[in-house]
Amino acid sequence: MSRIDQFRLLARYNTWMNTRLYDAAAGLTREALTENRGAFFGSILGPFAHRVVGAPLWLRRSPPLPAAAPLPPALALPMPASLDAIQFGELAPLRERRDMLDRSIEAFVADLDDAGLELPLAYLNSKGLPFVKSFGLVFTHFFNHQTHHRGQVTTLFSQAAIDVGVTDLLMLIPEVG
């Protein structure tokens, strides 16, 4: 599997898992979603909110690529005040934003090529510190970080006796031979 195909798989996995988590969350009351459960972002809604704030920040940082055309909806989003900003206090608008972001990510990755992955990415982090790193490696971080926060959500779901089923990337890896 090529490096580009691996990113396309990660983008599909990202969408697949986000859909599963939002489907599971849809069965909860607002009180259950916003209850402080002592987690890093407090409630179940917290990591959902953080991920719709963080994803556009990383997408804005991507180097100018011919493939950037699918990103305008994500790039047009307003800059949040902080990474823990709660832009939506309800699940429905969060899901709408997440769906738009996932479509943008999949479209972006569909047009990405090996040359784009090798480009240097110069950016400022949330504290204003400058960095220059390989775009391909930073993009790997982007997907890994999404998985990290989905793990937080699945833990909170498990504590609330909600089973989201299998969450492994392995489920989307095609059989060979």
Side-chain angles (χ1 to χ4, degrees):
M1 178 178 280
S2 73
R3 208 166 157 210
I4 293 299
D5 287 337
Q6 288 178 4
F7 280 110
R8 290 176 183 148
L9 175 65
L10 290 173
R12 281 194 317 277
Y13 173 68
N14 189 59
T15 298
W16 180 71
M17 275 308 304
N18 288 336
T19 299
R20 293 173 62 112
L21 293 182
Y22 276 92
D23 286 350
L28 296 174
T29 64
R30 184 175 194 297
E31 292 73 29
L33 287 168
T34 59
E35 175 187 343
N36 188 334
R37 298 171 184 270
F40 186 80
F41 288 103
S43 67
I44 290 172
L45 206 60
F48 281 111
H50 171 70
R51 291 178 55 246
V52 300
V53 169
L57 291 175
W58 280 108
L59 293 173
R60 274 191 191 97
R61 292 174 179 162
S62 69
L65 303 170
L71 290 178
L75 297 177
L77 296 173
M79 285 294 289
S82 69
L83 288 173
D84 60 355
I86 303 291
Q87 294 180 331
F88 308 104
E90 300 290 335
L91 189 65
L94 272 172
R95 184 174 198 155
E96 184 178 313
R97 176 67 54 88
R98 181 76 256 164
D99 290 347
M100 181 273 291
L101 290 168
D102 289 345
R103 284 189 308 274
S104 294
I105 293 164
E106 286 204 53
F108 176 73
V109 174
D111 291 337
L112 197 57
D113 60 21
D114 285 318
L117 293 175
E118 298 306 320
L119 290 172
L121 176 64
Y123 67 94
L124 300 175
N125 72 4
S126 60
K127 295 179 182 174
L129 298 173
F131 293 90
V132 179
K133 298 185 182 224
S134 159
F135 172 65
L137 294 176
V138 171
F139 208 38
T140 300
H141 162 74
F142 170 80
F143 286 112
N144 185 63
H145 198 70
Q146 296 281 316
T147 300
H148 162 70
H149 288 304
R150 281 193 300 268
Q152 292 173 328
V153 172
T154 58
T155 296
L156 294 173
F157 279 163
S158 179
Q159 292 170 353
I162 298 166
D163 181 9
V164 296
V166 177
T167 61
D168 294 332
L169 171 65
L170 188 61
M171 297 304 295
L172 298 184
I173 296 174
E175 293 286 331
V176 294

